[in-house]
Amino acid sequence: DHRIREKQLAELIEKGIGQLPSKMREIFELSRKKSLSHKQIAAQLNLSEQTVKKQVNNALRILRTKLGTMLFLVV
């Protein structure tokens, strides 16, 4: 039962990430999945570090909101 719920949670997270705006998703994935720093992401995408930081924070806020609602419905 625990593994099934863990798998469902992982799927919900991936679905939530997939629904982010494309640039925000790209920045978020570089930050979280590739473990790049804000400075590295900014250099790679030719953005300011502040823009990267804001996009990551916005993505986290959106995901918390979406996942909170989804988790409530699943559990």
Side-chain angles (χ1 to χ4, degrees):
D1 187 49
H2 177 37
R3 288 188 178 158
I4 292 171
R5 287 179 191 236
E6 191 174 284
K7 184 179 177 187
Q8 287 175 334
L9 178 59
E11 289 171 359
L12 288 175
I13 292 169
E14 284 303 314
K15 182 178 178 183
I17 292 170
Q19 292 174 343
L20 293 172
S22 61
K23 197 63 156 179
M24 184 183 291
R25 182 176 59 248
E26 179 182 16
I27 291 168
F28 184 80
E29 288 180 336
L30 288 172
S31 173
R32 295 304 193 255
K33 292 183 179 180
K34 304 281 184 183
S35 300
L36 296 180
S37 70
H38 292 173
K39 186 174 187 172
Q40 291 170 316
I41 296 168
Q44 183 174 330
L45 300 179
N46 197 25
L47 301 169
S48 74
E49 285 183 60
Q50 188 63 32
T51 298
V52 171
K53 181 179 178 180
K54 186 164 183 70
Q55 290 292 304
V56 170
N57 286 336
N58 287 343
L60 288 170
R61 183 177 40 79
I62 291 168
L63 290 172
R64 274 189 218 108
T65 302
K66 284 185 179 185
L67 292 175
T69 303
M70 288 184 215
L71 288 174
F72 179 75
L73 294 173
V74 171
V75 176

